[in-house]
Amino acid sequence: MIDLGVSIAGIDLENPFVLASGILDENGYTLVEVLRSGASAVVTKSIGLEERKGYIPPVVYELPYGLLNAIGLSNPGIEHYSHEISIAIREKKPIIGSVFGSTPEEFAHLSSRMEDFGVSAVELNLSCPHVKGYGQEVGSDPNLVRDIVRSVKRKVDVPVFAKLSPNVSDIQAIAEAAIDADGFTLINTVKAMKIDIYARQPVLSNVYGGLSGSAIKPVGIRYVYEIASNFDRPIFGVGGITTAEDAVEYIMAGASAVQVGTAVARVGKRVFNKLISEMRDFMEREGFSKIGDMKGVALRR
Amino acid sequence: MVWVPGVGEIPLSLSTIKGRRKSITVKRYGIVSQALLKYKPGDRIFLRGPYGTGFTLTEERNLIIGGGSGMAALRPLINDKSFGMVSAKTGDELLFTHEFKENSIMIMTDDGSSGLKGFPSDYLESVDIDQFARIYACGPELMLKALYHKLKDSRPDAEFSMERIMKCGIGICDSCSIDGRQICVDGPVVRVGEINPDGEFGHQKLDISGRRIEIHL
């Protein structure tokens, strides 16, 4: 009997495949469809205090090996977003509320409202690479990260995940600062850009964006491995997972579960059912009966 | 998705699909369309796509129901046997009416400044729709909603081209979704039978920030 169930920071998931933040998670009815397509949980779009329109398109650029985006943290503001969660929550699967802010107080308030709306966990966006004053700018300062995580932990009872950026010189220092979190989400997108040589200018209106997809998987694997080797916290692995083999690689590097984003754009929502059946096949072939049996097996202790 | 470097990017449909030369139709609306209207022959146009679904083509007699700039997407469907129900807010905004054969078009405007006064749904009963192989419609969502109730059980297959705010075009940003389906990937053209009248269609949509708003006239 193959059991795909996992538990991460006390949250039980029917399989290890969770929708990553920022993909198809603005509209509650879309979250419902994603959950019905096999995702065991969803992470919401990152939500802030106030309504934000985001950047003027172009906000995405497709590459053969990945996707570049700078949506610009568009969101309706935390109070308006409650309605979307109320729609998605009827599916009775875990919703993880992603929040972004610039101060510990903002993060604590947003997380607390997410908890009021009924989320199973919150994920702190300490890593968006393309909005000034938020995300990575906040997440690169260990002292600020420490204060943010502590403020949130004091305010909410649900598990707290810190989503960290690969765009820092010393991720271990940031992970150490965020150690009060119940878990880590690794990694956010890699800061990158694209120039159209015929237009002779950057394609994204924000110039810089975040690279996701297959191109960043080796980077994600390395960060998960490094953090799993040095910290005793559960990890959501994210970055370039399109097949069950990609997910297994993250799990063997130490992730408890994984998040899927860009593959949803490439394959569609059916990617979740595809991952589930591929994972069953892999485990059967390789003689694993539980996801947990694969966790961290590649780590050199 | 048509990009004007340094200005922005908008979703547009082709108004000519046959042959080597293609065309798009631009209405003065926002900053991007205003910039496009300044283009001169020989200027470079930047685009990505095409994305999403298209109409099921037919050489048979078809009924084309267009509202305002919705006619831009319907133009390639006009053939010798087409019948058009072309509408707009005012007579000045009517598009491609001359491309239908004489006596094969019914014109209507919201203000009655040209043709009949009212909306296509008000006059659908005066047309024998069973004579058509297919029915195509594109226009404001409330026009489509009114048509939905009259066409949902029609014998000819009816297809609607839907419109929502579209940022990415590739099914990730969730701006254009209706009932969990992304209009940029699973649409914009949908069969009438696939529409849920009790869902978001004709009722609610997300604005540019992702805030849920009611759809009003």
Side-chain angles (χ1 to χ4, degrees):
Chain A
M1 265 303 281
I2 286 171
D3 178 9
L4 293 184
V6 297
S7 179
I8 179 164
I11 306 166
D12 291 326
L13 302 174
E14 65 186 30
N15 67 59
F17 307 111
V18 172
L19 179 74
S21 181
I23 306 278
L24 294 186
D25 48 8
E26 190 166 277
N27 184 318
Y29 296 106
T30 308
L31 289 173
V32 167
E33 282 306 306
V34 170
L35 290 168
R36 288 181 185 173
S37 303
S40 61
V42 291
V43 187
T44 69
K45 201 169 187 80
S46 286
I47 305 297
L49 281 180
E50 304 292 337
E51 189 173 355
R52 267 180 73 94
K53 290 180 178 172
Y55 299 131
I56 290 168
V59 291
V60 297
Y61 186 80
E62 282 187 282
L63 298 158
Y65 37 79
L67 184 69
L68 202 52
N69 93 81
I71 304 272
L73 293 174
S74 60
N75 82 98
I78 187 75
E79 296 309 321
H80 290 298
Y81 196 70
S82 69
H83 184 64
E84 308 307 321
I85 293 185
S86 73
I87 294 165
I89 219 157
R90 294 178 214 146
E91 289 300 298
K92 308 228 180 296
K93 286 187 182 182
I95 312 280
I96 300 169
S98 172
V99 295
F100 74 91
S102 50
T103 65
E105 295 72 31
E106 269 184 54
F107 271 97
H109 173 74
L110 292 163
S111 301
S112 162
R113 292 301 288 150
M114 282 287 189
E115 187 174 45
D116 295 340
F117 304 155
V119 299
S120 301
V122 292
E123 184 178 274
L124 311 178
N125 181 345
L126 301 167
S127 42
C128 170
H130 54 70
V131 179
K132 217 173 155 36
Y134 295 110
Q136 184 189 313
E137 288 198 11
V138 172
S140 308
D141 175 349
N143 293 323
L144 189 51
V145 166
R146 183 174 291 108
D147 289 347
I148 288 168
V149 175
R150 282 187 181 160
S151 301
V152 172
K153 278 298 293 173
R154 272 200 297 269
K155 195 92 179 218
V156 301
D157 293 323
V158 292
V160 176
F161 289 89
K163 185 167 182 178
L164 304 185
S165 171
N167 309 304
V168 294
S169 53
D170 183 1
I171 199 167
Q172 290 208 37
I174 305 296
E176 181 66 51
I179 199 67
D180 287 343
D182 300 282
F184 295 119
T185 302
L186 300 166
I187 55 177
N188 207 315
T189 54
V190 177
K191 192 169 180 176
M193 69 182 289
K194 163 73 186 176
I195 290 169
D196 186 302
I197 57 172
Y198 298 100
R200 300 162 205 187
Q201 57 177 279
V203 172
L204 298 174
S205 68
N206 183 56
V207 179
Y208 303 114
L211 180 64
S212 60
S214 308
I216 70 163
K217 197 189 83 182
V219 181
I221 297 288
R222 172 245 152 160
Y223 277 114
V224 168
Y225 187 98
E226 186 177 337
I227 298 303
S229 301
N230 292 288
F231 298 91
D232 184 23
R233 289 286 181 279
I235 296 170
F236 269 122
V238 52
I241 295 168
T242 309
T243 65
E245 283 81 356
D246 297 328
V248 169
E249 202 176 333
Y250 270 100
I251 291 164
M252 289 186 174
S256 299
V258 297
Q259 298 178 1
V260 181
T262 305
V264 181
R266 285 287 147 87
V267 184
K269 294 183 221 58
R270 66 185 176 83
V271 73
F272 289 100
N273 274 324
K274 181 181 92 81
L275 287 164
I276 289 167
S277 84
E278 286 174 357
M279 184 62 97
R280 282 186 191 285
D281 290 347
F282 175 84
M283 290 170 71
E284 205 160 80
R285 277 201 316 274
E286 294 295 313
F288 291 106
S289 58
K290 295 202 301 284
I291 297 286
D293 294 344
M294 299 188 284
K295 189 184 150 192
V297 296
L299 294 169
R300 299 237 170 103
R301 296 185 194 271
Chain B
M1 299 292 287
V2 178
W3 176 41
V4 180
V7 180
E9 187 186 47
I10 52 173
L12 288 174
S13 300
L14 287 171
S15 290
T16 308
I17 57 172
K18 283 185 183 153
R20 241 173 62 79
R21 285 193 173 214
K22 311 296 181 194
S23 72
I24 53 174
T25 303
V26 181
K27 179 185 179 181
R28 187 180 302 276
Y29 186 76
I31 51 169
V32 179
S33 56
Q34 282 174 40
L36 281 169
L37 289 169
K38 292 190 186 117
Y39 272 38
K40 299 179 296 295
D43 281 352
R44 252 180 189 151
I45 191 155
F46 293 85
L47 44 89
R48 59 188 176 95
Y51 296 122
T53 59
F55 289 105
T56 311
L57 303 177
T58 178
E59 296 299 316
E60 298 303 305
R61 188 161 164 77
N62 59 35
L63 174 62
I64 291 173
I65 308 173
S69 47
M71 274 308 293
L74 297 170
R75 181 176 180 260
L77 302 165
I78 303 173
N79 65 30
D80 291 349
K81 298 172 224 158
S82 295
F83 187 86
M85 297 182 83
V86 181
S87 69
K89 280 192 180 124
T90 67
D92 299 344
E93 294 180 36
L94 288 163
L95 277 179
F96 305 125
T97 50
H98 56 284
E99 305 210 359
F100 291 90
K101 292 213 155 165
E102 227 175 303
N103 300 322
S104 291
I105 182 165
M106 189 182 272
I107 289 171
M108 56 223 85
T109 50
D110 298 6
D111 63 357
S113 58
S114 188
L116 301 159
K117 187 176 189 316
F119 308 105
S121 51
D122 300 334
Y123 297 96
L124 204 58
E125 272 85 11
S126 64
V127 178
D128 170 23
I129 63 171
D130 282 340
Q131 64 178 302
F132 300 106
R134 292 192 170 274
I135 302 172
Y136 309 111
C138 183
E141 194 152 325
L142 289 172
M143 174 193 108
L144 296 180
K145 186 184 174 185
L147 287 172
Y148 169 83
H149 291 287
K150 307 210 171 201
L151 292 176
K152 64 177 167 26
D153 301 316
S154 72
R155 187 199 53 78
D157 271 341
E159 291 175 333
F160 289 180
S161 181
M162 318 275 254
E163 193 186 1
R164 288 283 159 117
I165 285 174
M166 213 170 268
K167 293 183 184 176
C168 75
I170 55 172
I172 63 162
C173 77
D174 208 14
S175 295
C176 67
S177 302
I178 298 179
D179 298 338
R181 290 177 61 183
Q182 286 61 61
I183 292 305
C184 63
V185 174
D186 303 325
V189 177
V190 299
R191 294 180 53 193
V192 164
E194 297 168 40
I195 294 171
N196 171 11
D198 303 319
E200 291 179 282
F201 170 71
H203 295 115
Q204 293 181 335
K205 61 181 177 182
L206 300 187
D207 72 4
I208 192 104
S209 72
R211 181 170 169 178
R212 187 170 290 279
I213 52 175
E214 303 291 322
I215 296 172
H216 298 294
L217 263 175

